Amino acid sequence: MAYMIGMAVGGVVGMLLLSRLTLWMFKRLGDNERRILVAHAVAYVLAVGLGGLGYADGGPPRFLYAASVYGLPTLLWLAMDLLGLKGRRFKGQVSN
């Protein structure tokens, strides 16, 4: 049980940091849905690639396992960012 909690927390925190980095890298795209989707897709691909190699533990890469570990955290931060964008637009802070 403790292992599963650690994996969940690690996935959420890891994807938070990686998604913030990719959002910063793509800030030239503006504050819109396209930037958020591209940044999170890149973050997910990086996490699966690096995680798959890290979970190999001397064997073949485990990309499918990494995809399952980082899938839900990626969707969580994607939803949070899209809702945050919608909230900023509702308050009139961001224009299309």
Side-chain angles (χ1 to χ4, degrees):
M1 181 68 172
Y3 175 78
M4 291 172 51
I5 293 171
M7 290 291 289
V9 170
V12 169
V13 172
M15 288 311 300
L16 171 67
L17 296 173
L18 194 54
S19 67
R20 298 308 110 180
L21 176 66
T22 55
L23 282 168
W24 176 76
M25 288 172 44
F26 290 108
K27 70 178 167 183
R28 64 177 162 73
L29 295 177
D31 198 14
N32 54 37
E33 292 90 358
R34 180 176 161 222
R35 171 185 173 226
I36 292 171
L37 291 173
V38 167
H40 282 278
V42 169
Y44 181 66
V45 168
L46 285 172
V48 169
L50 294 173
L53 295 174
Y55 291 129
D57 197 26
R62 298 181 62 195
F63 297 119
L64 290 177
Y65 180 71
S68 69
V69 169
Y70 296 113
L72 285 177
T74 301
L75 292 175
L76 170 77
W77 294 120
L78 175 63
M80 296 290 283
D81 287 337
L82 289 173
L83 287 173
L85 178 66
K86 184 177 178 181
R88 288 190 303 274
R89 283 188 179 161
F90 181 74
K91 290 182 180 179
Q93 296 176 355
V94 176
S95 62
N96 283 339

